[in-house]
Amino acid sequence: MELWYTEKQTESYGITAKVKETYVHEQTDFQQLAMIETEEFGTMLVLDGMVMTTDKDEFVYHEMVAHPALNTHPNPEQVLVVGGGDGGVVREILKHEKVKRVVLVDIDGKVIEYSKKYLPNIASGLDDERVEVHVNDGFMHIHDHKNEYDVIMVDSTEPVGPAANLFTRGFYQGIYEALKEDGLFVAQTDNPWFKADLIQSVNRDVKEVFPVVRVFWANVPTYPSGLWTFTMGSKQHDPLAVDETAIPERETKYYTPRLHKAAFVLPKFVEDLVK
Ligand code: SAM
């Protein structure tokens, strides 16, 4: 008998992946967690029925959350990751020698535990000496750490359940206050095919808080529509003002210095959303 995992990305559309084995399927204190082995994408982490990351395509998203921001800030020593319990963004951050400290705050310790066990190449950086892992609500953390971070990355689940308040104006104000005077943040901001209104509302809210706001995108095949956006809010530094020829080549598979500015060139229907 064939077994397939289907993610309903809207009420009437989804993706489906043939399953070889189910490693974990449990209700944590915060969400339903599954870790499955798929034919096409390898090991897959699923939270509340939504694909979070897979062995095969994880590098795209994790590189694009980390590198544009860290190549825009001139001296990113103190970095915070809100969410990101699979460790992929942390692994990418550690490729930047200027980073002295990475604080990861994920609300669900089970994500961290199972990612270390079943996604070792993604979670590989979580035990690094520069990394501090906290199991806590990111919303609370940023309000308790004012003027502390150079870069903040929000690698959260969709704005439902535990992440509902991570897409609000109050959260972006809290991020602003947790950043140092020339700090910047980046957040994953979903897809324009099924979540256009979310992209628009986030863009509006971030523009009310930050003077520099830029949207960029990447192709993540296992995420809804495959066209994934990211929103950067900055107190001073503009990602489009970076001299990409000065960006060092690093061990990446999607991001390159040449792609740094190109990622901010949006398809017209997306550009129109964030004008
Ligand atoms: N790349 C994925 C995406 O774009 O949907 C996100 C992956 S990461 C595993 C998402 C993490 O956000 C989960 O581990 C979840 O526990 C965490 N999370 C959700 N709400 C949170 C909150 N309020 N504070 C901290 N972490 C939170």
Side-chain angles (χ1 to χ4, degrees):
M1 180 189 79
E2 291 188 349
L3 188 61
W4 290 68
Y5 161 70
T6 297
E7 175 184 343
K8 283 176 60 180
Q9 295 174 343
T10 74
E11 282 312 306
S12 54
Y13 183 82
I15 58 165
T16 193
K18 194 173 178 185
V19 177
K20 288 164 68 174
E21 189 176 350
T22 298
Y23 300 128
V24 179
H25 186 197
E26 71 178 59
Q27 181 64 39
T28 74
D29 292 340
F30 299 96
Q31 51 213 336
Q32 193 180 78
L33 184 152
M35 193 74 79
I36 56 180
E37 191 62 34
T38 68
E39 296 263 358
E40 192 60 54
F41 281 93
T43 309
M44 181 184 276
L45 169 64
V46 178
L47 292 177
D48 281 344
M50 292 174 276
V51 176
M52 291 291 118
T53 195
T54 80
D55 260 338
K56 185 172 179 179
D57 73 350
E58 57 86 11
F59 64 90
V60 179
Y61 173 90
H62 293 135
E63 290 179 17
M64 292 306 281
V65 168
H67 298 299
L70 294 176
N71 286 326
T72 297
H73 194 291
N75 196 24
E77 295 185 351
Q78 305 291 325
V79 181
L80 168 67
V81 179
V82 172
D86 54 58
V89 170
V90 166
R91 182 198 63 203
E92 294 304 313
I93 293 168
L94 292 172
K95 293 175 182 173
H96 291 254
E97 53 290 338
K98 286 181 182 173
V99 173
K100 291 194 165 61
R101 175 173 170 257
V102 189
V103 176
L104 179 121
V105 180
D106 198 301
I107 202 166
D108 194 339
K110 288 286 187 182
V111 174
I112 298 166
E113 176 192 336
Y114 289 128
S115 295
K116 284 183 175 180
K117 182 171 182 184
Y118 294 105
L119 295 166
N121 76 308
I122 297 176
S124 56
L126 291 178
D127 293 323
D128 187 279
E129 59 182 11
R130 288 184 282 173
V131 178
E132 288 174 28
V133 177
H134 299 259
V135 178
N136 192 3
D137 184 336
F139 194 85
M140 308 295 284
H141 182 87
I142 59 150
H143 286 291
D144 296 340
H145 293 78
K146 307 280 187 199
N147 192 33
E148 185 165 329
Y149 297 105
D150 297 301
V151 176
I152 295 176
M153 299 175 186
V154 184
D155 176 14
S156 71
T157 41
E158 307 283 283
V160 290
N165 60 6
L166 301 187
F167 291 79
T168 61
R169 189 180 178 310
F171 180 60
Y172 301 126
Q173 187 60 42
I175 285 182
Y176 188 95
E177 291 164 15
L179 286 168
K180 292 181 188 170
E181 61 178 4
D182 70 335
L184 60 89
F185 93 102
V186 62
Q188 70 90 356
T189 43
D190 224 297
N191 80 91
W193 288 96
F194 307 135
K195 291 281 180 66
D197 47 3
L198 176 71
I199 293 176
Q200 271 187 318
S201 64
V202 165
N203 197 259
R204 186 196 59 238
D205 290 348
V206 175
K207 279 177 178 167
E208 286 176 7
V209 178
F210 286 88
V212 179
V213 180
R214 301 287 184 199
V215 177
F216 59 103
W217 68 281
N219 163 239
V220 184
T222 54
Y223 282 1
S225 86
L227 196 170
W228 209 253
T229 72
F230 306 83
T231 300
M232 191 184 293
S234 178
K235 292 187 176 182
Q236 282 182 29
H237 308 295
D238 186 340
L240 299 185
V242 167
D243 171 7
E244 64 270 32
T245 63
I247 296 175
E249 292 286 347
R250 287 191 174 88
E251 190 196 331
T252 54
K253 295 195 285 186
Y254 186 91
Y255 176 87
T256 66
R258 294 168 303 292
L259 187 128
H260 177 89
K261 286 183 180 171
F264 291 85
V265 179
L266 301 174
K268 177 89 173 49
F269 80 105
V270 184
E271 204 176 46
D272 290 344
L273 283 181
V274 298
K275 260 187 182 138

